[in-house]
Amino acid sequence: MEGVSNEACSLAGHWGLGKLIAFYDDNHISIDGDTEIAFTEDVTARFEALGWHTIWVKNGNTGYDEIRAAIREAKAVKDKPTLIKVLFFCFFFFHCSCH
């Protein structure tokens, strides 16, 4: 994460901006391949340390009910911002029979 955006997230947590909901696209893809080669940070732990409520949606490709439930949960949290971390599989649509 860029330094200035991390500072903004820290401030949002400090101020308890309960109406702020952010989505984090956890797709494990970078320009050089899997993010595992250069990124081992625990994003959830970092945001919790910044004072955020965190939710993990394990299936962003077809888990629409999970996403809706996460948004409802996030809206119910009034005293801190919420990060909804969503696991997406980038090549899902190329390999499924849903299109």
Side-chain angles (χ1 to χ4, degrees):
M1 179 186 283
E2 300 288 331
V4 69
S5 58
N6 188 61
E7 291 170 7
C9 291
S10 177
L11 189 58
H14 177 73
W15 282 348
L17 301 182
K19 291 187 177 186
L20 178 61
I21 301 171
F23 284 84
Y24 179 79
D25 179 6
D26 186 20
N27 62 22
H28 295 277
I29 300 295
S30 75
I31 197 165
D32 294 322
D34 194 303
T35 54
E36 205 173 79
I37 61 174
F39 186 78
T40 56
E41 179 177 317
D42 184 339
V43 173
T44 301
R46 176 165 45 94
F47 273 81
E48 287 172 351
L50 293 173
W52 287 56
H53 174 68
T54 60
I55 304 167
W56 183 28
V57 175
K58 296 177 180 88
N59 182 358
N61 293 76
T62 60
Y64 307 118
D65 290 334
E66 277 185 85
I67 294 170
R68 286 185 197 97
I71 293 168
R72 280 193 299 277
E73 180 181 334
K75 286 181 174 181
V77 176
K78 305 295 185 194
D79 62 338
K80 57 176 73 175
T82 298
L83 176 77
I84 301 175
K85 180 178 159 184
V86 185
L87 181 59
F88 286 101
F89 300 99
C90 287
F91 300 105
F92 172 78
F93 290 104
F94 295 112
H95 300 291
C96 77
S97 60
C98 60
H99 48 90

